[in-house]
Each structure stands twice: as structure tokens, then as C-alpha cells.
Amino acid sequence: MPVISNAQVRGFRLQNHHLAQSQPISALSTIVGACGLQNTPPYAWLTASHNRLPAITRTQLTQALESNKLLLQAWSYRGAPVIFPTEQASIF
């Protein structure tokens, strides 16, 4: 069985959590849908989103959640608020 290095594990996690490279704003649903974004402490999801999508603004994120309903927030993981794509509501 091949040995997997710590660097390979980190690289895999960074890639799959969309942290290895900046993403376009159009990828918002894909980025948030990868694992949901925990929102504790409050508004932490905004920072997590910006780390993945540097060009996105707080206004755009807030609109996606509150106005456009592209994103939802639910208390999914042990009562922690999590932001995820509306289209994946049945998963989360």
C-alpha cells in the first residue's frame, strides 16, 4: 500500500475545499456546496467565502443568502449554523 505524505493530504484537502486557488464569483454555489460553510462565530461564512472567492463582496454574499435565496442557513451540524446552496437543501 503506498504511503501518503502529509503534504499530499494537505494538498488534497485544500483542493477539495476550494482553497488551493481563487475561484470566480460564478462558482459560488459549487464552492459553498463542497461542504457547507459553518457560520460560527456569526458571519464567519463571509470570511470563508472571501478566502475562496476573493472578488466577491459582502453585499453579493448577503444578497445570495437573504434576497436571491441562492443560499440557505440551517442549524445542521450539532446545532451549528451552516450556509449551503438552496439546490442542495435535501443533502444538508
Side-chain angles (χ1 to χ4, degrees), residues 73-87:
Q73 176 172 240
W75 282 255
S76 298
Y77 311 149
R78 297 171 288 172
V82 176
I83 308 291
F84 53 87
T86 301
E87 62 192 26

Side-chain angles (χ1 to χ4, degrees), residues 12-29:
F12 176 82
R13 291 184 71 192
L14 288 170
Q15 187 67 32
N16 285 292
H17 286 266
H18 302 287
L19 289 164
Q21 57 193 15
S22 297
Q23 302 292 322
I25 293 172
S26 60
L28 177 63
S29 185

Side-chain angles (χ1 to χ4, degrees), residues 34-87:
C35 60
L37 298 175
Q38 190 164 328
N39 196 22
T40 55
Y43 305 106
W45 80 280
L46 296 171
T47 302
S49 298
H50 183 70
N51 287 337
R52 293 159 172 84
L53 306 156
I56 202 162
T57 66
R58 182 179 182 151
T59 300
Q60 289 171 309
L61 289 168
T62 302
Q63 287 175 343
L65 180 65
E66 296 174 1
S67 304
N68 304 341
K69 305 294 184 192
L70 176 66
L71 305 175
L72 290 176
Q73 176 172 240
W75 282 255
S76 298
Y77 311 149
R78 297 171 288 172
V82 176
I83 308 291
F84 53 87
T86 301
E87 62 192 26

